[in-house]
Amino acid sequence: MELKRLYYDNKVRTRYILPQKSIAEGLNLKYDDTYLNYHNNICPRCREEMVVKNGNVKNIGAIGAGILQTTGYYYPYAVCKECSVDMEKSSRKHNEEKSSEIEEYVGKVIPHLAP
């Protein structure tokens, strides 16, 4: 099955996605946007389908990033608005647990990004 490239609104792309590569470089990490570009039709936090219209991912609540210290990868991802609201309301411990779940999920989708 051929994966379709996903796109993001210009505001999201320029304000939140483009700086991610510089952050990775500043941390001396390898930047991998495969999840964001080809698999982010699923929110990695709640695993619900994101709204995609004409290849553009909609209803984005936040852009996050995972860092794999063991392999030196930095990968960005988008979470849905519902998860973004939940993150703001949740405890630090709950958000850390969810971050671990995101890492596991992304690693299943893209094996070289597995923790």
Side-chain angles (χ1 to χ4, degrees), residues 1-114:
M1 180 174 87
E2 186 177 331
L3 296 172
K4 290 185 179 179
R5 173 76 158 83
L6 299 169
Y7 297 94
Y8 299 85
D9 292 339
N10 194 44
K11 178 181 168 185
V12 171
R13 191 177 59 77
T14 56
R15 271 195 198 168
Y16 305 109
I17 296 174
L18 289 179
Q20 298 295 318
K21 189 169 187 177
S22 295
I23 293 169
E25 289 170 355
L27 296 169
N28 291 321
L29 297 169
K30 295 173 267 188
Y31 181 74
D32 189 324
D33 57 4
T34 306
Y35 187 83
L36 189 72
N37 289 337
Y38 295 97
H39 302 280
N40 216 149
N41 57 313
I42 303 293
C43 174
R45 191 170 190 272
C46 66
R47 317 259 166 71
E48 295 291 325
E49 211 169 320
M50 303 274 278
V51 176
V52 179
K53 291 184 180 174
N54 297 322
N56 286 305
V57 181
K58 303 289 186 182
N59 218 21
I60 294 170
I63 299 293
I67 297 174
L68 293 173
Q69 297 292 349
T70 53
T71 58
Y73 277 104
Y74 179 102
Y75 59 91
Y77 55 82
V79 297
C80 65
K81 284 188 180 178
E82 293 80 6
C83 282
S84 180
V85 169
D86 184 61
M87 288 163 53
E88 290 177 14
K89 293 180 180 179
S90 295
S91 69
R92 181 182 181 124
K93 182 179 183 211
H94 178 73
N95 283 331
E96 287 173 358
E97 289 169 359
K98 285 293 191 178
S99 290
S100 293
E101 291 175 16
I102 290 170
E103 285 180 7
E104 288 176 26
Y105 176 73
V106 171
K108 287 179 183 172
V109 175
I110 304 169
H112 74 270
L113 296 178

